[in-house]
Amino acid sequence: VASLWHRWSGWRKPLLICSLLLLGIESVATAPHYLTFFNATVGGSRRGYRIINDSNFDWGQGLLELKQWMVNQRVDRISLCYFGSVDPGVYGILYVPVTDGLAEPYVAVSSYFLSGLSHRLPLAESRTNTIRLAFHRELQAKQPVTIVADTIYVFRREDFAAASTEFIAKNHGKRPEVSP
């Protein structure tokens, strides 16, 4: 910016000032989710996971906000496909791993899995086998109920199941690794 400031003159300097102000506003608007910040020109924080993921974007930082959403919505338990190393029960989240089926009305999916990456789900006393949501593209097309902390997408159980069904239909009956 300093280099441009010295090289630019006339009408370009106000453009530079406006750009800096917009970047500042955009950065402040991201608070407190700075890890997930992506500029609006690439789709913002809600689409950043499609550009880069893993621990660069999602490391499970949304669990406290997921718990708060559950309290606000009066959701007692949730099906969960979460990327991180801490058992969500530590935060008071009652959950069923998606590997155990879809018994709950909502399914929370970390953006990590929504990107098609594979990992083992943390459990209270162990971890699951490595899983991957083979139907992540179909799930991306579904409208989430909410997005918590820019990293945890909450879907209705029916939409999660429909994404799996669509994957099976597109792949001539091939079952995804995780299916309802």
Side-chain angles (χ1 to χ4, degrees):
V1 170
S3 174
L4 290 176
W5 185 261
H6 290 292
R7 289 187 307 181
W8 285 5
S9 61
W11 64 271
R12 291 183 184 178
K13 281 193 178 184
L15 180 64
L16 186 60
I17 291 169
C18 287
S19 297
L20 285 172
L21 284 173
L22 287 174
L23 180 61
I25 291 167
E26 189 176 46
S27 297
V28 169
T30 302
H33 306 123
Y34 300 111
L35 184 63
T36 61
F37 174 78
F38 272 82
N39 190 282
T41 59
V42 296
S45 297
R46 297 271 168 109
R47 295 188 49 84
Y49 78 91
R50 294 181 186 211
I51 297 168
I52 189 169
N53 213 303
D54 198 4
S55 58
N56 297 307
F57 187 82
D58 178 8
W59 48 271
Q61 70 269 31
L63 286 179
L64 287 173
E65 288 184 47
L66 176 62
K67 174 61 179 172
Q68 189 59 53
W69 178 84
M70 290 173 68
V71 167
N72 293 345
Q73 299 301 312
R74 296 186 175 94
V75 174
D76 295 325
R77 288 172 37 117
I78 196 161
S79 293
L80 188 60
C81 189
Y82 148 74
F83 175 74
S85 58
V86 175
D87 171 27
V90 170
Y91 296 103
I93 296 173
L94 297 175
Y95 68 98
V96 177
V98 293
T99 54
D100 291 352
L102 299 178
E104 305 306 321
Y106 296 103
V107 183
V109 179
S110 286
S111 66
Y112 182 90
F113 290 102
L114 206 52
S115 297
L117 299 171
S118 60
H119 198 334
R120 298 176 345 155
L121 301 178
L123 304 174
E125 298 180 18
S126 65
R127 288 181 168 268
T128 64
N129 291 329
T130 300
I131 67 158
R132 178 178 170 269
L133 295 181
F135 53 94
H136 64 277
R137 287 187 182 89
E138 290 79 8
L139 193 54
Q140 287 175 2
K142 303 295 181 195
Q143 181 68 39
V145 173
T146 191
I147 302 171
V148 179
D150 294 331
T151 60
I152 299 178
Y153 289 65
V154 179
F155 296 95
R156 286 181 177 77
R157 174 183 53 213
E158 297 79 14
D159 291 334
F160 188 87
S164 176
T165 302
E166 291 166 17
F167 174 87
I168 293 167
K170 287 179 187 175
N171 291 281
H172 311 291
K174 179 184 173 195
R175 308 273 319 156
E177 292 178 42
V178 174
S179 60

